[in-house]
Amino acid sequence: MHAHISTRLLHAFIALHDCRHFGQAAQRCHMSQSAFSVTIQRLETAVGARLFERDTRKVALTPEGEMFIEVARSLVGEIDAAFNDMGDYLARRKGRVVIAALPSLAANGLPAVIAQYRAAYPGINVTLFDALSDQCLSMLREGKVDFALTAPGLDLAEFDTRIVCSDPFYLVCRRDHKLAGRRKIALKALAGCEMIHLSKSTSVRQHVDALLRDVATVHTGLEVEHLATVAGLVEHGLGVSLVPELTLFQFRSLDLVAIPVEAPDIVRPIFIVRQKNRTLSVAAQGMLELVEASLRSVGTRQRDIPGSRGARE
């Protein structure tokens, strides 16, 4: 739009075209007739051409006015649509939220939050990527997601982070395992146990290595990428595993036991991670607040599986 043409001038022009009378058009625009005449003159000056033929009996468009009326209507329509869209975004009737999250959260916890959010704001599109910590941070760094839910990583310093919950560890084993009857497991009790591990690229493995640093466990050589694989291996008696509380849902359908580990000083913190100095959209901010409120209540709920010990302690 030309620097000297405002929506006020455009609305005045359209009113005069529709009314073909200065007095009626001025009234429609809530202006005095003299002020309205000055407004039309300003528009013609900005356009650089006469837009109306005026005489005592009628007001008619010039050829340039006929050409400009379609332009004016289009511009006003686009501006009105833009403000209507902005209103929809601010009222969360439209918008998009993109989240990256660890698979354990993406499968257990976030679905309920997303369902709650979409029920309240059905016009907002929610996209969820389930990925390991490094992948979550890469997507955030590249601007592909609004925020990420992840465990500690090497590159968190460049982001705005805050802890929303802590994820303690459990021993998962078969019911016939020698440790299955215990209500809690001291780390030293794991000496001699055959361990099934997640891969070294996972945040879980990094914490498990810290837990077992001074414990003489037996490495079975089984290092896998997925918790479902861990569950299958444990079910068939190939070893035991240490997993965070938020992942226990993966073991519910199996005849296994989950026992809390006595290591309160070693937990897997879960972070909400955002880009620094970047304002979230209204839609994304609303989702973040809902996610944060939900995850902060995790500490009061146990993700136990049938047969887990200490679930009500």
Side-chain angles (χ1 to χ4, degrees), residues 174-285:
R174 283 169 49 125
R175 288 184 180 277
D176 58 0
H177 192 274
K178 64 180 181 180
L179 299 177
R182 302 198 181 190
R183 297 182 65 80
K184 289 185 178 180
I185 291 291
L187 289 174
K188 63 182 180 180
L190 298 178
C193 285
E194 297 180 323
M195 301 300 301
I196 297 167
H197 289 295
L198 286 167
S199 68
K200 291 183 172 64
S201 63
T202 64
S203 62
V204 172
R205 177 61 182 277
Q206 294 161 16
H207 284 81
V208 168
D209 284 348
L211 283 166
L212 299 179
R213 183 182 299 115
D214 300 320
V215 182
T217 58
V218 177
H219 192 343
T220 62
L222 297 172
E223 295 189 7
V224 297
E225 294 286 341
H226 303 288
L227 284 161
T229 309
V230 172
L233 294 171
V234 173
E235 182 187 25
H236 284 83
L238 295 172
V240 300
S241 191
L242 291 179
V243 297
E245 183 183 28
L246 285 172
T247 70
L248 291 181
F249 72 97
Q250 292 274 11
F251 304 88
R252 282 187 182 137
S253 63
L254 305 178
D255 191 25
L256 303 177
V257 174
I259 310 167
V261 173
E262 290 182 334
D265 55 328
I266 299 182
V267 296
R268 183 179 69 153
I270 301 298
F271 292 91
I272 286 182
V273 186
R274 297 171 48 184
Q275 286 191 359
K276 288 183 178 179
N277 304 316
R278 179 182 176 187
T279 302
L280 293 178
S281 68
V282 171
Q285 182 63 37

Side-chain angles (χ1 to χ4, degrees), residues 5-279:
I5 298 180
S6 65
T7 54
R8 186 167 178 265
L9 298 182
L10 294 175
H11 280 294
F13 173 63
I14 293 170
L16 187 54
H17 167 268
D18 293 345
C19 298
R20 303 300 174 101
H21 188 280
F22 270 84
Q24 293 174 10
Q27 186 175 16
R28 175 168 150 178
C29 294
H30 306 289
M31 300 169 65
S32 67
Q33 187 166 335
S34 60
F36 184 83
S37 295
V38 171
T39 298
I40 294 299
Q41 290 171 7
R42 287 177 179 169
L43 177 61
E44 289 178 325
T45 299
V47 172
R50 284 177 57 83
L51 301 175
F52 291 97
E53 298 287 358
R54 308 164 176 84
D55 60 32
T56 57
R57 293 176 297 175
K58 65 178 182 177
V59 175
L61 288 174
T62 64
E64 289 76 17
E66 292 284 1
M67 182 185 301
F68 191 67
I69 186 61
E70 297 304 323
V71 175
R73 289 194 190 281
S74 176
L75 289 172
V76 169
E78 289 178 7
I79 292 169
D80 288 345
F83 276 94
N84 288 336
D85 277 348
M86 181 59 69
D88 286 340
Y89 280 108
L90 294 177
R92 298 188 207 172
R93 291 187 292 268
K94 288 183 179 180
R96 186 183 183 209
V97 182
V98 187
I99 309 167
L102 294 173
S104 56
L105 288 166
N108 185 47
L110 270 183
V113 178
I114 293 172
Q116 180 183 352
Y117 188 84
R118 290 187 64 179
Y121 307 106
I124 294 180
N125 179 269
V126 180
T127 300
L128 173 63
F129 293 102
D130 57 339
L132 298 181
S133 181
D134 289 346
Q135 294 170 301
C136 287
L137 296 180
S138 292
M139 285 188 280
L140 185 62
R141 188 179 295 111
E142 294 166 10
K144 294 180 179 179
V145 300
D146 294 302
F147 60 90
L149 297 167
T150 185
L154 298 176
D155 302 322
L156 283 180
E158 67 182 282
F159 299 106
D160 178 11
T161 64
R162 59 179 181 270
I163 296 176
V164 288
C165 67
S166 295
D167 205 7
F169 281 81
Y170 282 64
L171 173 73
V172 177
C173 63
R174 283 169 49 125
R175 288 184 180 277
D176 58 0
H177 192 274
K178 64 180 181 180
L179 299 177
R182 302 198 181 190
R183 297 182 65 80
K184 289 185 178 180
I185 291 291
L187 289 174
K188 63 182 180 180
L190 298 178
C193 285
E194 297 180 323
M195 301 300 301
I196 297 167
H197 289 295
L198 286 167
S199 68
K200 291 183 172 64
S201 63
T202 64
S203 62
V204 172
R205 177 61 182 277
Q206 294 161 16
H207 284 81
V208 168
D209 284 348
L211 283 166
L212 299 179
R213 183 182 299 115
D214 300 320
V215 182
T217 58
V218 177
H219 192 343
T220 62
L222 297 172
E223 295 189 7
V224 297
E225 294 286 341
H226 303 288
L227 284 161
T229 309
V230 172
L233 294 171
V234 173
E235 182 187 25
H236 284 83
L238 295 172
V240 300
S241 191
L242 291 179
V243 297
E245 183 183 28
L246 285 172
T247 70
L248 291 181
F249 72 97
Q250 292 274 11
F251 304 88
R252 282 187 182 137
S253 63
L254 305 178
D255 191 25
L256 303 177
V257 174
I259 310 167
V261 173
E262 290 182 334
D265 55 328
I266 299 182
V267 296
R268 183 179 69 153
I270 301 298
F271 292 91
I272 286 182
V273 186
R274 297 171 48 184
Q275 286 191 359
K276 288 183 178 179
N277 304 316
R278 179 182 176 187
T279 302

